[in-house]
Amino acid sequence: YMIEDIKHVDLILTTTDRARMQFNALTNIPVLKLPYIDTRFDIGKSRQLKEQFVYFRLDGLTTASYKRILDATVRYMKTNKRVHLLLVSFESDAKQQQYMANILRMLLASYDDPDMVLMEENSYTIENSAFPEKESRVSLSFITPADDVIKILSNCRLVVDLADEPDMYTHIAALSAAIPQINKLPSEFVHHKKNGYITLDLDNLYDGLVYYLTGLAHWNESMIYCIKLIEKYSDTEIVKRVRLMLNRG
């Protein structure tokens, strides 16, 4: 059906490399990858908050890797009391949710620190990113993309997604909000020490946290770089690129 649907078009637009490669394998029609920039974010809002909220996506990681990730993160959180860790997953199966929560709860308990006790999913208020006073600085939320991601990211200082393939919605939403990201691999939208920190080694996560959460210099540089990328993918620029591709055809 896909071939029938696209055989009469002159240009295909997509938001992911995977889709671009799939289309390239099916047809000779030009394929242009473009992000959808969300304009609902208040850029720079997180700088106004005392707390530093870190959005950490668990999907795409093995439960065996959780300990290495938590070791690096908790190590940094002990040096920076302003950091709050928001563990996030799109997992919808209740049994799998409980399995993930149990593993995280057990691992966090090993640090013997009341700040690192896993908060229940509903204890975290997505709407205002507020933790109750004298509560743990770690929460786990099972969410759906789109609105939930927008609500959480609006107050976040940093996004961490160390899956082999980051969630593209979160990836672009973080760019739209001008929030730096820590990723496993570089992409067209995140560049090392420009608006992100790229590391194949989970043990280097600590260095990425230091880079973007200690002081505002690197974070401000990232925000400016993100704004330039946002301008690059503005509606006007996208129209120019589409016209250029069509003229080439």
Side-chain angles (χ1 to χ4, degrees), residues 167-207:
D167 173 62
M168 189 51 62
Y169 186 89
T170 305
H171 202 51
I172 301 302
L175 170 62
S176 302
I179 300 171
Q181 305 178 55
I182 299 179
N183 297 133
K184 192 172 184 179
L185 298 170
S187 76
E188 184 177 347
F189 313 116
V190 176
H191 307 131
H192 187 56
K193 291 188 176 180
K194 297 291 187 180
N195 65 329
Y197 198 94
I198 308 301
T199 176
L200 283 169
D201 189 344
L202 295 180
D203 294 330
N204 290 335
L205 171 60
Y206 179 86
D207 295 331

Side-chain angles (χ1 to χ4, degrees), residues 75-90:
R75 178 184 161 206
Y76 180 75
M77 291 175 71
K78 287 180 180 293
T79 70
N80 185 344
K81 301 297 185 179
R82 298 170 59 197
V83 173
H84 292 260
L85 180 62
L86 313 182
L87 298 169
V88 175
S89 173
F90 298 147

Side-chain angles (χ1 to χ4, degrees), residues 126-144:
I126 290 177
E127 285 75 10
N128 59 18
S129 294
F131 283 88
E133 289 187 8
K134 299 181 180 179
E135 289 282 359
S136 169
R137 292 189 285 138
V138 183
S139 74
L140 171 63
S141 295
F142 295 101
I143 67 173
T144 55

